[in-house]
Amino acid sequence: MHPFISQEPVFYRAAAACLLAAGLFWQMNALNKTYSTRLSCPLAWHYDTARYVSLRPLPAAVPVVVTGQGWRLLRANLGMGLHPAELHPVPRPGTRYLSASTWQHSLQRALEGLQVDEWASDTLRLTFDRYATRRLPLALAAPDSGRAPAYTARFEPTSLTFRGPASVVARLPNPYPVAVPAGTGPGAARLAVRAPALVRPAAAQVRAELRPR
């Protein structure tokens, strides 16, 4: 250690610069080699969202094992130059999956410059349904105890339109129940309209005139 003791500050700056340059040169040389790694390839879904709805969340990305040059893999891991795979499913009701020949070809185009060694799976699970609209009259929901509601109600409006997946909308009760919050007294009230997931009522609240039975 004797040669490194009592040196001028410029010596240490020069030594640090040499070490930094050597490390940078080694890193650049290493990135020119070929490696294999696991990437998450983003997906972009394109279908008629005005007529069809997905009953389960569509995957935003698919993991794949790829081989390529270190620079290309580094950029892909940093999210630079990695374009999403464009997928165009045919969203017919009853469709349960997207075949491998369809989505793997799109992924291979998105991963241009990289060789795909291993796919996450052979299929992508999908569940689509058509949108449907149904108009239902409103009624007071029975209390959790199962007894008759403590009030009668006059709603404004008297019915609402519900829009959502056809299979879900078809199972909505008729008349549609609207709950009265605990502690609500007789008179004018604004009641929230609760609907299942993916179903949208025409109004989030309705006015009601509550009268004791």
Side-chain angles (χ1 to χ4, degrees), residues 151 180-186:
Y151 300 104
V180 177
T184 302

Side-chain angles (χ1 to χ4, degrees), residues 2-33:
H2 181 70
F4 299 98
I5 300 174
S6 302
Q7 295 287 346
E8 295 291 331
V10 66
F11 169 81
Y12 298 106
R13 289 196 295 269
C18 290
L19 289 174
L20 180 62
L24 182 62
F25 178 79
W26 176 85
Q27 184 69 29
M28 294 180 64
N29 184 59
L31 288 174
N32 284 323
K33 298 179 181 179

Side-chain angles (χ1 to χ4, degrees), residues 188-200:
R190 297 192 69 88
L191 304 181
V193 180
R194 308 294 183 187
L198 302 178
V199 175
R200 294 183 60 184

Side-chain angles (χ1 to χ4, degrees), residues 138-163:
L138 303 178
L140 286 181
D144 293 338
S145 61
R147 294 179 297 178
Y151 300 104
T152 61
R154 184 168 60 86
F155 289 99
E156 179 61 37
T158 59
S159 61
L160 279 183
T161 298
F162 296 83
R163 175 178 170 80

Side-chain angles (χ1 to χ4, degrees), residues 79-142:
M80 303 166 54
L82 185 60
H83 302 290
E86 307 286 337
L87 300 182
H88 299 265
V90 180
R92 297 190 182 95
T95 299
R96 293 291 181 266
Y97 63 90
L98 196 64
S99 64
S101 60
T102 302
W103 66 270
Q104 289 182 3
H105 181 65
S106 298
L107 258 69
Q108 186 65 77
R109 286 204 309 269
L111 296 169
E112 184 180 4
L114 298 174
Q115 175 187 331
V116 180
D117 299 325
E118 182 182 339
W119 302 98
S121 65
D122 292 332
T123 58
L124 292 180
R125 301 294 176 182
L126 311 171
T127 306
F128 286 103
D129 200 356
R130 292 181 183 274
Y131 272 117
T133 301
R134 187 182 177 195
R135 191 168 190 85
L136 295 170
L138 303 178
L140 286 181

